[in-house]
Amino acid sequence: DVKVTQSSRYLVKRTGEKVFLECVQDMDHENMFWYRQDPGLGLRLIYFSYDVKMKEKGDIPEGYSVSREKKERFSLILESASTNQTSMYLCASSLQRRSRGYTFGSGTRLTVV
Amino acid sequence: GIQVEQSPPDLILQEGANSTLRCNFSDSVNNLQWFHQNPWGQLINLFYIPSGTKQNGRLSATTVATERYSLLYISSSQTTDSGVYFCAVTGEANNLFFGTGTRLTVIP
């Protein structure tokens, strides 16, 4: 089974801190995605990547950046964390661009105080 | 992006009852998936169903692409079915657009 691992289950950070959320997948998938999940809003796409060193903005990229230096790792960066970025962050990967199969990590619950 | 609406937002069932969850979407789609998020936050793909009907045990799903909706049926519900069910669609850009989910609680 494909495994998508997110480095932290819970994080508490202070306003203004630089925050790194790490995601690693172990099945050589081309595509990786970062979503945030908020009550009543479902999952919203922040950034995605179809290849190493490639990134594209999703629906809500403001305040975030990403890095994909290796195929298996996709990092989400909050340059200066703010309280409105308190949320559950979910990473996903899929094999091909039109893949039917998305595999999600278990999520990182980030609280910014 | 594509708008995805799910109903009902919340559902409470007695164990053994049946239920139907609905997903409406605003544009033609290449792909539709149903996911279950368990109480620990893990999202599991249930069905890939851009059209037609599929069954997997007590779960089945039907998508009528021409009318832009999909239904997820849960029969003989169990407490382990509790969680949030998401519908997600893919349009031209191949990104998944999620609905806001249906929170299901099955009580013994």
Side-chain angles (χ1 to χ4, degrees):
Chain A
D1 280 352
V2 177
K3 202 168 184 182
V4 177
T5 303
Q6 295 184 229
S7 54
S8 303
R9 187 80 174 105
Y10 298 96
L11 272 180
V12 179
K13 296 291 182 180
R14 294 193 180 279
T15 300
E17 274 193 77
K18 190 168 186 175
V19 181
F20 293 86
L21 302 184
E22 305 289 346
C23 176
V24 178
Q25 49 94 3
D26 65 0
M27 284 298 288
D28 205 33
H29 280 184
E30 282 89 2
N31 309 323
M32 297 189 76
F33 308 84
W34 275 106
Y35 291 85
R36 65 177 282 176
Q37 181 179 3
D38 300 287
L41 296 176
L43 278 75
R44 293 178 292 167
L45 181 64
I46 305 171
Y47 267 97
F48 59 100
S49 170
Y50 290 139
D51 203 351
V52 176
K53 295 192 186 295
M54 176 272 176
K55 60 185 178 184
E56 290 191 29
K57 294 179 179 178
D59 298 319
I60 51 164
E62 295 78 20
Y64 304 95
S65 62
V66 290
S67 173
R68 193 161 181 205
E69 296 296 318
K70 294 184 178 180
K71 192 174 187 179
E72 67 270 20
R73 185 180 296 270
F74 192 35
S75 304
L76 181 69
I77 304 159
L78 286 67
E79 295 289 341
S80 178
S82 63
T83 55
N84 62 13
Q85 292 178 309
T86 292
S87 186
M88 169 73 91
Y89 290 88
L90 289 156
C91 175
S93 73
S94 69
L95 180 57
Q96 294 166 346
R97 190 148 184 171
R98 288 182 182 270
S99 171
R100 61 177 65 187
Y102 281 69
T103 301
F104 281 82
S106 298
T108 296
R109 187 168 293 282
L110 173 67
T111 302
V112 183
V113 298
Chain B
I2 301 172
Q3 304 302 310
V4 183
E5 294 181 353
Q6 290 185 244
S7 59
D10 292 279
L11 186 58
I12 300 175
L13 295 177
Q14 198 78 41
E15 198 169 27
N18 303 327
S19 64
T20 301
L21 282 57
R22 187 176 179 103
C23 171
N24 293 329
F25 43 95
S26 63
D27 206 346
S28 57
V29 298
N30 295 325
N31 179 354
L32 185 144
Q33 300 183 52
W34 284 97
F35 291 88
H36 175 226
Q37 187 174 41
N38 64 26
W40 296 271
Q42 184 69 53
L43 269 167
I44 304 295
N45 181 279
L46 298 174
F47 291 104
Y48 166 84
I49 186 165
S51 63
T53 297
K54 290 187 177 179
Q55 180 150 9
N56 184 2
R58 295 181 296 102
L59 301 182
S60 64
T62 295
T63 296
V64 183
T66 53
E67 296 186 24
R68 299 181 184 169
Y69 74 89
S70 182
L71 303 173
L72 178 69
Y73 306 96
I74 304 173
S75 64
S76 304
S77 58
Q78 300 176 359
T79 55
T80 52
D81 295 332
S82 295
V84 184
Y85 290 81
F86 287 103
C87 168
V89 302
T90 305
E92 288 298 318
N94 293 313
N95 298 332
L96 273 181
F97 293 97
F98 282 80
T100 53
T102 292
R103 181 173 298 277
L104 174 65
T105 304
V106 181
I107 54 178

